[in-house]
Structure formats: structure tokens, C-alpha cells
Amino acid sequence: QVQLVESGGGLVQPGGSLRLSCTASGTIDSIDVMGWFRQAPGNQREWVAIITSGGSANIAETVKGRFTISRDNGKNTVYLQMNSLKPEDTGVYYCNYVGKRNYWGQGTQVTVSS
């Protein structure tokens, strides 16, 4: 079993920044992928960014150039640095862990509004 704890969401004005963190605990696989998804009200959950345990990262085109994903394997933690935030970035952001099994965090709310 893997548990995921997210933090860092909140209310920010357009153009602002937030940094999300997600720490995994439990039975961590040596090779895995961690990432972030988001879901806005009335929309399906969508992929935002992923990073492998080897450090290879992919960012969705909708946030490329504004968001950066990174991880600290020693802390089993993945980060999502979000800059130049827009109102359309509003939603619940979910941490995802994929090893032998797929796990989800509880989600953290990000609201971009003036």
C-alpha cells in the first residue's frame, strides 16, 4: 500500500504562483511514476504533469512553460511549481503514484481568482 499526502493548494490571484507537494509513504517501488492531475467543476480529470523515478518529466501543453514538476526521491516527494496562474487553472489537483499499483491522493484545491 502507498499513501499520498498533498499540500500547498490555496487561493491565488491571476499571475501568481503556488507550489504543490505530495509525499508518498508505505511500500514504495524502486521504479515508479508520480504525477499531478486536476479536475475543474463539471470537467473530467485531466493530466497535468508526470515524472519518473529516473527524473524524466512530461508536462501537458496547456501548462507548459508555466508549470514545472520535480521530485526528491530521498523524500519520496513530488512537487508542482505553478507560475503565471490563470483562472482556468482552478480545480482540485490530485497526486498520482504508479508503481505495481495505481494510487491517488485526496486532492488539494487550487483557486485562481481576483
Side-chain angles (χ1 to χ4, degrees):
Q1 287 278 18
V2 173
Q3 295 77 42
L4 301 172
V5 177
E6 300 137 330
S7 62
L11 172 64
V12 64
Q13 292 186 341
S17 298
L18 283 174
R19 188 194 196 204
L20 305 183
S21 300
C22 171
T23 298
S25 61
T27 305
I28 306 299
D29 297 298
S30 58
I31 300 174
D32 59 47
V33 179
M34 296 185 74
W36 293 94
F37 289 69
R38 68 185 182 186
Q39 187 167 17
N43 291 358
Q44 290 187 334
R45 191 173 298 188
E46 64 175 0
W47 164 72
V48 176
I50 59 171
I51 186 167
T52 69
S53 49
S56 296
N58 277 302
I59 306 287
E61 288 296 325
T62 52
V63 302
K64 191 170 288 185
R66 300 187 296 119
F67 291 13
T68 304
I69 189 170
S70 60
R71 66 186 287 170
D72 183 334
N73 289 336
K75 296 181 179 180
N76 294 324
T77 299
V78 63
Y79 305 97
L80 185 68
Q81 178 66 44
M82 306 185 293
N83 299 327
S84 302
L85 282 160
K86 304 176 181 180
E88 51 263 43
D89 295 317
T90 294
V92 179
Y93 283 67
Y94 295 93
C95 179
N96 176 247
Y97 175 94
V98 180
K100 292 185 175 66
R101 296 179 64 182
N102 189 15
Y103 297 90
W104 293 94
Q106 79 284 358
T108 184
Q109 177 70 44
V110 171
T111 303
V112 185
S113 175
S114 55

